[in-house]
Amino acid sequence: MAKQSLNLPYLLLTGIILVAIIAIFAIFQPMLKSLREQQAAVAGVEAAIVEKQQFLLTIDQKKEVLTRQQQHEQQLAVVLPTDDALDDATRIFHRTAETTGVTIIGLANNSEGEKSKVQALRARGELVNVPATIEPLAVNIEARGSYQQLRLFLEQLERSARLMDVVSLRLQRDPTTLDQLGARMDINFYKHRGENHGQ
């Protein structure tokens, strides 16, 4: 009987501790479950944020590529327009002549002859340095100026946004003025055939 009375407090204490543990577990179990759910939700939100950031980064890259393509297309439209734009080329020649002091005496359109020459070369199967999608245009310019003026004229044409080739150049001294030269030059420039011209 004395042994039972000595063990009773221990048993009671053990029972109380067990009841407290079960109570704590019962109380905190929903809280732990809620905490795990919140952690999962936060992880989901973080993943969604990363995904959106990657999407936005991709959009920025695509926008940059499209902008660059548009700039290249605009530049190409100046270098190789899709129309003949002989008037534009003529304006370039006259503007360059004004800035360099060269006098243009005559300008003749030789485009048809240049096109025929390229077509004949293609028909014979000979090597042509002009792609099939590009059509050559040509002018013959007769001009007058000093050696330095004519040199500057050619240099500025070379730096022009429009793609141009000086195919031939013939100089002759002007008998009336010692510092002046007469020049005849054949200049080729080009147009893009565009999507509707496959041949």
Side-chain angles (χ1 to χ4, degrees), residues 1-11:
M1 196 73 173
K3 272 190 178 182
Q4 280 184 341
S5 62
L6 283 172
N7 290 336
L8 186 62
Y10 292 112
L11 289 172

Side-chain angles (χ1 to χ4, degrees), residues 114-135:
E114 190 64 27
K115 289 176 197 175
S116 299
K117 185 171 79 176
V118 169
Q119 286 171 357
L121 288 170
R122 284 193 182 124
R124 291 197 301 266
E126 295 182 27
L127 183 65
V128 179
N129 60 358
V130 180
T133 55
I134 306 300
E135 188 173 300

Side-chain angles (χ1 to χ4, degrees), residues 147-175:
Y147 173 79
Q148 289 298 331
Q149 289 170 333
L150 291 167
R151 185 179 61 79
L152 279 172
F153 178 77
L154 294 172
E155 282 178 2
Q156 288 194 22
L157 284 182
E158 195 176 283
R159 289 197 296 266
S160 168
R162 184 83 184 254
L163 181 63
M164 294 185 185
D165 291 324
V166 179
V167 179
S168 71
L169 174 65
R170 295 173 298 283
L171 296 175
Q172 62 182 30
R173 185 167 297 281
D174 189 334

Side-chain angles (χ1 to χ4, degrees), residues 12 15 83 111 137 140-141 149 155 159 163 173 193:
L12 284 173
D83 56 3
S111 297
L137 305 168
N140 175 266
I141 295 178
Q149 289 170 333
E155 282 178 2
R159 289 197 296 266
L163 181 63
R173 185 167 297 281
R193 286 179 181 272

Side-chain angles (χ1 to χ4, degrees), residues 14 17-18 58 60 77 79 92 104 127 171 181:
T14 304
I17 289 171
L18 283 172
T58 306
D60 287 343
V79 175
I92 292 172
I104 293 180
L127 183 65
L171 296 175
L181 294 171

Side-chain angles (χ1 to χ4, degrees), residues 24-37:
I24 289 170
F25 185 76
I27 291 168
F28 284 106
Q29 177 64 24
M31 291 173 68
L32 288 172
K33 185 179 176 185
S34 172
L35 183 61
R36 281 194 293 271
E37 287 172 353

Side-chain angles (χ1 to χ4, degrees), residues 52 84 97 112 132 151 157 179 185:
K52 285 178 182 175
D84 285 355
E112 291 307 316
R151 185 179 61 79
L157 284 182
D179 64 335
M185 56 193 86

